[in-house]
Amino acid sequence: MKKKWKNRNGNVGSYRTKTMLVMKMMFVFTCCLIFHLSAEVKAQLVTLKVKDASFTEVTRELKRLTGREFFYNHEEIPAGRAFNLDVKETALDDVLRALLGERFTWEYIDEMVVIHPARPANTPLQQQQRPAGKVTGRVVDEEGAPLVGVTILLKGTTRGVTTDADGNFELPGLDGSSVTLRVTYIGKQPVEIEARVNASRLEIRMKDDTSEIDQVVVTGYQTIAREKSTGAVTTITAATLEDRYTPSLRSNLEGRVAGLTVYG
């Protein structure tokens, strides 16, 4: 039989009701404690006097006085800048404001004070984010097959992307209404194309560059210029391999390449 208990008014309730009441009280107590600690951090009083000190030296002293770590970007607060300060029993917020002025803000996270540049007043957040423009598309060969690893660069820059296994690419973070792309791939003629930002997907078709193919040697583990190849090079075409049936490619190569020995 389920055990009952009586509340202050004499009403009978279950242990489940009592447990829920206790949990609610604990939640309210925890919230009050968090708010109290947050207010205590901001109201923490500091007595400090420094002259011609670097910001690193100042935060080291503040850490000693408050027990808190200070995090900031050293490029945003130059190391050569000198700080002078003479405060007594001053709130930590006021100390930081006297040091940094209105150009910086900060937030308290556990035992840390994280400092970062303040967002300019009346400036929409969207204007500070990376531009949302992008160009997307697909690169294929003359037969329409996707090309993997094609390099797509913004003309005149080193910024770019490569195509994935399906020949697709996406170049994000672009300004303006249009950009010029330079598309390159080994064995294909380079392509320069004017692309509209945020327009429909492009399809870029690349043609074979036979002169470039003749000048390179693919060894299976690297691609080098023919004139830089120091060893003998033998070319085996697909038509040659189809002359006879063998259970494996290694067996098919036996007797076709001078000096080739196949094991296994």
Side-chain angles (χ1 to χ4, degrees):
M1 179 177 180
K2 185 180 294 184
K3 190 173 182 180
K4 306 291 185 177
W5 63 282
K6 290 186 177 181
N7 61 19
R8 184 179 299 176
N9 298 321
N11 298 323
V12 178
S14 66
Y15 272 112
R16 177 174 297 179
T17 304
K18 184 177 180 180
T19 302
M20 291 297 296
L21 179 60
V22 172
M23 291 177 63
K24 289 179 180 178
M25 292 177 64
M26 291 182 63
F27 175 75
V28 172
F29 175 76
T30 302
C31 291
C32 292
L33 180 60
I34 292 173
F35 292 145
H36 173 73
L37 291 175
S38 177
E40 182 180 328
V41 168
K42 295 184 179 181
Q44 193 167 13
L45 301 181
V46 173
T47 298
L48 178 64
K49 182 177 181 179
V50 293
K51 183 177 181 181
D52 295 331
S54 67
F55 194 70
T56 300
E57 293 171 331
V58 174
T59 53
R60 187 182 298 123
E61 281 299 304
L62 289 175
K63 177 184 177 182
R64 183 180 64 82
L65 294 170
T66 65
R68 303 189 179 279
E69 295 284 352
F70 291 80
F71 291 88
Y72 59 94
N73 188 333
H74 290 262
E75 295 181 357
E76 294 169 348
I77 305 178
R81 180 180 172 186
F83 292 86
N84 298 304
L85 188 68
D86 187 358
V87 295
K88 293 182 180 180
E89 298 296 316
T90 303
L92 181 57
D93 275 344
D94 294 332
V95 172
L96 292 173
R97 182 63 62 210
L99 289 167
L100 300 171
E102 300 295 331
R103 293 180 56 248
F104 290 86
T105 187
W106 50 89
E107 54 187 324
Y108 298 93
I109 303 176
D110 295 331
E111 297 298 318
M112 302 179 296
V113 181
V114 182
I115 301 170
H116 50 81
R119 182 167 62 90
N122 301 323
T123 301
L125 181 62
Q126 290 79 1
Q127 292 183 10
Q128 298 186 34
Q129 296 175 343
R130 190 174 183 182
K134 65 180 181 180
V135 172
T136 59
R138 186 167 182 258
V139 183
V140 298
D141 62 14
E142 293 179 282
E143 304 299 325
L147 294 175
V148 183
V150 178
T151 301
I152 297 98
L153 293 175
L154 282 176
K155 185 178 179 180
T157 74
T158 57
R159 182 180 168 195
V161 293
T162 58
T163 56
D164 61 17
D166 297 316
N168 298 316
F169 70 90
E170 178 178 309
L171 188 58
L174 301 177
D175 282 319
S177 59
S178 64
V179 293
T180 301
L181 303 179
R182 180 170 173 79
V183 185
T184 57
Y185 190 67
I186 293 177
K188 302 294 182 182
Q189 297 176 9
V191 176
E192 284 194 6
I193 184 171
E194 190 81 11
R196 294 189 60 81
V197 176
N198 291 333
S200 56
R201 285 170 52 86
L202 296 172
E203 179 166 309
I204 303 173
R205 193 172 295 267
M206 302 191 76
K207 298 180 179 180
D208 291 337
D209 188 346
T210 55
S211 61
E212 184 177 343
I213 293 176
D214 290 341
Q215 294 172 2
V216 299
V217 176
V218 179
T219 65
Y221 59 89
Q222 64 177 344
T223 301
I224 58 177
R226 181 175 292 275
E227 61 270 16
K228 294 182 179 179
S229 175
T230 57
V233 177
T234 300
T235 302
I236 304 294
T237 65
T240 303
L241 295 175
E242 291 173 356
D243 286 346
R244 66 186 184 191
Y245 172 78
T246 57
S248 68
L249 176 62
R250 292 184 302 177
S251 300
N252 207 329
L253 291 175
E254 287 183 341
R256 298 183 185 275
V257 180
L260 175 66
T261 303
V262 180
Y263 295 93

